[in-house]
């Protein structure tokens, strides 16, 4: 049985039903033809038997009356009772000579069969074969009664019967296929719900559930689907909780590192600057040639202090809980513009209110923006970066969402198979990996698109209040 890759299941099953029906029709037609040929041979054999017994009676009558002039064989009386269209009846002597023969005419209203069918039928059934019965008189065979049929007659009848069967088949097969296709369409209609549920699961809607189905097999699939969705939702929830803990540990480690740098390294740099200033005063009195070296040490210490201050700002940004997300981001943009000396230029546009935003959401969004700006400025070499932050207020039946968009004109990263959807995979870049983990911990979606030839666009959508309740798929009408 042939199989078409990607073909519709209903069509495939309907074609198989049609193929099986065709084979059954061919078998039934063959059975009818064989049975018809067997019946025709039985009739011819019966005619030959009647003819032989009648001729024996005629011969006995001649002998009993002792009338050698009586006509023998006399097939007229036999032919009048048994003759049918195409039937031939004859008496053959021992020498093989036909003494008398009668043949019925063929029907003229039957259409002649095609030559190919006639040749095949004659090859399979040999319709002109003779039925021979010996004629015995006083214990001795005096000849043979022979009966046969003109091959054209049974061939034409077989073609006529086959044509009627073919007409019935040509009408019944399309009706059968239509009924089978309709029944399969109705039976497989729940598969559309299953596919829709799988697509929603793939899109991240883990609250999707399938309703019960009438068919036991589909109900079993629906039960497994619902169990899988529940386990997947639980696993994702555990993963998000673990990710949040890891992010908290990471932030705590950053704060600890910032304190260590500020308390140890910062004080050491301050001491170096103080010592350089003291050495300069001494050199000004005792050794003016060392003034340049003292000034160089002071400038180096000052530059290191500036670098340390920037690192501390990135490791331990201003308290988002106190300043708010909007003010913190505006300060971040201002700091980047101040350090960039005109290149690159950073812009920010904020719409909506963020005062009541949870501290974890604010902190994670701030870190995401911070990492994205660092990637755009330092790694992509962007000359213009645009940050847009928007709060979409909740609709009567929906949830609030925060949309974060960052567009730049820098060199695109090295994405490998980056899809146009959520959570792309990157060949490298722990910063993007960290952003992805933070977005996943918030239950949001992240997408990254690289422009041609330059530029990139980062999109983050985070729900403010996620609705975790199950949302069953509606049953199709």
């Amino acid at each position: 049985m042939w199989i078409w890759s990607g073909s519709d299941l209903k069509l495939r099953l309907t074609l198989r039903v049609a193929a099986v029906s065709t084979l059954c029709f061919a078998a039934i037609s063959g059975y009818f033809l064989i049975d018809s040929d067997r019946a025709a041979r039985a009739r011819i054999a019966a005619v030959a038997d009647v003819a032989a017994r009648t001729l024996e009676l005629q011969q006995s009558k001649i002998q009993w009356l002792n009338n050698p002039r009586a006509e023998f064989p006399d097939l007229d009386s036999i032919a009048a009772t048994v003759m049918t269209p195409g039937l031939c009846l004859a008496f053959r002597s021992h020498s093989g000579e036909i003494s008398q023969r009668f043949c019925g005419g063929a029907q003229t209203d039957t259409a002649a069969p095609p030559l190919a069918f006639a040749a095949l039928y004659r090859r399979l059934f040999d319709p002109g074969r003779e039925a021979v019965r010996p004629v015995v008189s006083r214990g001795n065979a005096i000849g043979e009664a022979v009966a046969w049929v003109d091959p054209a007659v049974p061939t034409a009848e077989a073609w006529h019967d086959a044509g009627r069967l073919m007409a019935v088949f040509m009408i019944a097969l399309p009706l059968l296929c239509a009924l089978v296709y309709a029944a399969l369409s109705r039976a497989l209609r729940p598969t559309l719900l299953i596919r829709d549920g799988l697509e929603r699961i793939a899109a991240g809607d883990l609250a999707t559930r399938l309703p019960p189905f009438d068919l036991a097999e589909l109900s079993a699939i629906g039960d497994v689907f619902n169990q899988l969705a529940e386990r997947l939702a639980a696993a994702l929830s555990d993963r998000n909780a673990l990710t949040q803990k890891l992010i908290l540990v990471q932030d705590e480690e950053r704060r600890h590192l910032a304190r260590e740098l500020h308390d140890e390294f910062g004080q050491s740099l301050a001491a170096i600057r103080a010592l350089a200033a003291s050495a300069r005063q001494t050199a000004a009195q005792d050794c003016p040639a060392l003034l340049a070296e003292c000034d160089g040490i002071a400038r180096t210490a000052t530059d290191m202090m500036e670098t340390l201050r920037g690192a501390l700002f990135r490791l331990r940004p201003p308290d988002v809980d106190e300043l708010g997300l909007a003010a913190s981001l505006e300060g971040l943009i201002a700091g980047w513009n101040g350090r960039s000396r005109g290149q690159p230029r950073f812009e920010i546009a904020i719409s909506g209110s963020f005062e009541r935003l949870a501290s974890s959401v604010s902190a994670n969004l701030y870190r995401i923006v911070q990492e994205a700006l660092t990637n755009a400025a330092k790694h992509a070499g962007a000359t213009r970066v645009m940050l847009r932050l928007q709060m979409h207020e909740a609709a009567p039946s929906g949830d609030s969402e925060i949309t974060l968009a960052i567009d730049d004109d820098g060199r695109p990263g090295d994405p490998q198979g980056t899809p146009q959807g959520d959570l792309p995979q990157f060949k490298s870049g722990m910063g993007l990996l960290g952003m992805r983990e933070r977005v996943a911990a918030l239950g949001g979606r992240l997408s990254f698109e690289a422009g041609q030839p330059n530029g990139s666009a980062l999109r983050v959508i985070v729900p403010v209040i996620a609705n975790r309740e199950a949302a069953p798929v509606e049953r199709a009408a």
Side-chain angles (χ1 to χ4, degrees), residues 17 54 58 93 149 167 213 227 230 280 296 346 395 424 427 441 475:
V17 170
T54 302
Q58 291 178 4
S93 63
V149 176
F213 301 113
Q227 294 176 6
E230 292 175 359
R280 189 180 190 286
F346 295 82
K427 189 175 181 180
R475 183 184 291 272

Side-chain angles (χ1 to χ4, degrees), residues 149-170:
V149 176
D150 184 2
V153 174
T155 303
E157 292 178 351
W159 173 249
H160 179 68
D161 294 339
R164 289 188 298 179
L165 290 175
M166 184 63 68
V168 173
F169 176 74
M170 295 302 293

Side-chain angles (χ1 to χ4, degrees), residues 256-267 308 311-312 315:
H256 176 72
L257 181 60
R259 286 194 300 268
E260 292 293 330
L261 290 175
H262 179 271
D263 296 341
E264 300 295 335
F265 195 60
Q267 292 182 7
L308 179 62
L312 293 176
L315 288 173

Side-chain angles (χ1 to χ4, degrees), residues 2-13 15-16 181:
W2 64 90
I3 295 179
W4 295 338
S5 178
S7 61
D8 183 70
L9 177 60
K10 300 184 293 296
L11 178 61
R12 184 182 298 182
L13 293 177
L15 291 177
R16 292 188 176 186
Y181 190 87

Side-chain angles (χ1 to χ4, degrees), residues 267-295:
Q267 292 182 7
S268 297
L269 289 177
I272 292 174
R273 291 180 60 184
L275 290 175
S278 176
R280 189 180 190 286
Q281 292 180 358
T282 303
Q285 297 176 359
D286 300 335
C287 186
L290 295 177
L291 290 177
E293 284 79 358
C294 292
D295 292 339

Side-chain angles (χ1 to χ4, degrees), residues 136-197:
V136 179
S137 177
R138 295 181 179 182
N140 297 319
I142 60 175
E144 297 174 335
V146 183
W148 71 94
V149 176
D150 184 2
V153 174
T155 303
E157 292 178 351
W159 173 249
H160 179 68
D161 294 339
R164 289 188 298 179
L165 290 175
M166 184 63 68
V168 173
F169 176 74
M170 295 302 293
I171 296 174
L173 183 62
L175 292 177
L176 176 63
C177 291
L179 292 175
V180 169
Y181 190 87
L184 291 175
S185 298
R186 183 176 181 83
L188 297 178
R189 187 179 300 172
T191 58
L192 300 177
L193 299 178
I194 296 176
R195 186 186 67 179
D196 181 63

Side-chain angles (χ1 to χ4, degrees), residues 343-358:
Q343 292 292 337
R345 295 186 58 84
F346 295 82
E347 301 178 14
I348 184 172
I350 300 178
S351 61
S353 176
F354 297 89
E355 286 80 5
R356 299 181 181 180
L357 198 61

